[in-house]
Structure formats: structure tokens, C-alpha cells
Amino acid sequence: MKDRKAVARLGSRSAVRLTDLAQLVRAPAALSVPGDVIAGAAAAGRPLGARTLGVIGSSVCLYWAGMALNDYADAAVDAVERPERPVPSGRVPRRTALAVAGGLTAAGLGLAAVAGGRRSVSVALPLAGLVWAYDLKLKSTPAGAAAMAGARVLDVVAGAVVAAPGAGSVGGALRRVTVPAALVGAHTGTLMALSRHEISGAAVRVPVATLAVSAATAAATAVPVARGDVGSAAKDRLSSAAPSWLVAPRGGAADEHSPAPLKGVAGAVSAKKLGAVVGALAYLGTYGTAQVRAVQEPSGENLRRAVGAGILGLMPLQAALTARGGAPGVAAALGVVHPLARRLARRISPT
């Protein structure tokens, strides 16, 4: 009987410990990470295969590592400002938070090596470096916002450089991923600007400025990709996989059969445009609306809500960028995940 009680107590402690660890790493907020990698892969014309999924796992591990390291570094501040967090409340020892951060960092680098080899490791290493530098040193400095934005930019780049059969050069991939990476970075910059005032509130000019940047980001996302970019990303796929009558320049089978494939291409372009516009509007409808409330009353509570909305509001932006890059079906899947993430965030705060 005593043994059974001991086992029950042990099982209860294990369950609580797992819940506390989930709160430590803000587990649901990691749903905002895969879209970065997917948007980068779509922009560069990379397939969503096992390698890309492995890189997504790497980025999620590094994201969670950053959250755990954040609470390790901020233990003294959180004891005053956020005593309910796992570390200051005593539910997770500070040294455990550091161990979790180290273990997840090692896991992230290992997954990058297995999934993408040297290409992926060359992105994951500086990404891990930015995460640790931000949490331990740069957070309270003027360079903090740039470091965090840089981390998100590298997430997008990680998707673009994934090695794949028939993939083009790294230089071409980096060129095509420049715009989506910059837009994700701009969004992250607005989050960082708001998060500095989550406790005490801010002057109204802060949410006004971030709202303007968010509106510009949404507008730029809805702009179609230049034809030259689309052509360079799809050229290899067309020449290797499409029937000869589809890629033939003129004459013969091309003249006889081209109307049907041209309709298919037109439909795909329309789906891309529609997906990009819908995603951009959803982004403004979530994050933009929260910022409007912060403009009306820039209190700490409203700014904190805007930051939470912005963390998960990144997902419709990623969906828009993925559709813009030529993968409207995957973009639709990202859009479906967003409501799930918002539901989970009611249980475990993303901030």
C-alpha cells in the first residue's frame, strides 16, 4: 500500500514537472517557428520533404532553448515582475532551466547536421549564437532587438538553404529569400519594441510606430513575386519534371496542347495571390487589432496582449509568405494551425 502511494506521488510529481517545463519553454509558442522555415523553403523552391522537416525540428529546439535560457537569465527580474513563472516560483530550479537550454541547443544543432548537413549547420550555429548572446548579454542593450530579429531571419534562411535533389545554388536561394526574411525580421522588430514596455506601459508613439510597420509589412507581403523570381525558382522543376509539350517554346505538341497547362498555371498564380492577400489580412486582423487597442490605451496589459498576439500572429504572415512563394496548399495548412495555437496559448502563455 505504501509502495503504491509512493508511486502515485512520484507519478504526480512527474506530471507536474512536465507541465512546468512546458511553461518554461512556452511550448505552444513554438508553433510560430515552422512557418519561418516553410516560407523560406517556398521562396527558394525547396520541397517540403524530410530534410525540411528536420530543419524545422532544429529551429523549434533552438526556440525552446532560448525560452528556457531567458528564464534562467531573468530569474532575479522575474522574481519581482513575473513571480508566477516556473523559475521564480520555485517549480523549476534555475540550474534546471540552464540545463534544458543547453540540451535543447545541442539537440537543435544535431538535428540541423542530420537533416541538412553543412548547409543547415552553417545557419543553425549563428542562430544558436544569437539566441545565447541575446538572453545572456544583448537583451537590455540597443542591439537586443536586432539580435532577435536576426534569429528569426536565420530561421527563414534555414528553409531556403536546405539541400534537396535538383536544388539550385545557395546564392540563388539566398537572393530569392531576401524579401520574406526581411518581412519576418521587420515583424520581429515590432514585437521587440512593444515587449520592452509590457510591465509599465509606453508612450502612444510606440504602438503607433509598430502598427505602421505591421501595416507596411502586410502590404509588402501581398505584393506578388516578380516574374523573374518565380521563373528562376521553378525553372529546374519544370525542365526536369514537366512533359515536353509543356516546356516546349513553340510549335508541334506545344501549339496543340498548351491551353490546358496555361490554364493550370493561371490558376496556380491566382491561388498564390489569393493566399497572400488572405494571409496578410488575417495578420492585420490579429496582430494589427491588438496594436490598435494598445494605441487607444498603451497600458502594460494592452502591450502584453499585443506581444502575445504578435507571437502567434506571425503564423498568418508566414502563411501569406508561403503562398506568395508558390505553395498555397501548405499556406492553407499553416492557416488552420493558427487557431489551434491561439487556443493552446490560453493555457500556456506565449510571453
Side-chain angles (χ1 to χ4, degrees), residues 59-85:
S59 289
V60 167
C61 285
L62 293 176
Y63 182 90
W64 279 339
M67 289 297 184
L69 188 63
N70 173 81
D71 282 15
Y72 164 81
D74 284 358
V77 175
D78 286 345
V80 176
E81 296 181 351
R82 298 185 176 185
E84 73 282 357
R85 281 184 168 176

Side-chain angles (χ1 to χ4, degrees), residues 19-27 63-101 131-132 134-136 139 198 348-351:
T19 301
D20 293 338
L21 289 176
Q23 292 177 352
L24 176 72
V25 300
R26 327 287 199 274
Y63 182 90
W64 279 339
M67 289 297 184
L69 188 63
N70 173 81
D71 282 15
Y72 164 81
D74 284 358
V77 175
D78 286 345
V80 176
E81 296 181 351
R82 298 185 176 185
E84 73 282 357
R85 281 184 168 176
V87 171
S89 66
R91 289 177 289 130
V92 175
R94 190 166 179 246
R95 63 180 179 277
T96 301
L98 180 60
V100 168
V131 167
W132 281 72
Y134 172 80
D135 282 329
L136 297 180
K139 184 185 305 180
E198 287 182 290
I348 300 178
S349 172
T351 63

Side-chain angles (χ1 to χ4, degrees), residues 25 36 70 98 103 105 111 133 139 201 220 234 247 287 302 320-321 326 338:
V25 300
D36 286 342
N70 173 81
L98 180 60
T105 299
L111 277 172
K139 184 185 305 180
V247 296
Y287 187 36
N302 280 343
L321 292 171
H338 182 227

Side-chain angles (χ1 to χ4, degrees), residues 13 16 40 54 65 96 101 127 147 170 205 208 252 258 293 295 319 330 344:
R13 284 182 191 138
V16 170
T96 301
L127 173 55
V170 173
R205 66 176 180 273
V208 166
S258 60
R293 293 195 192 99
V295 169
V330 180
L344 290 173

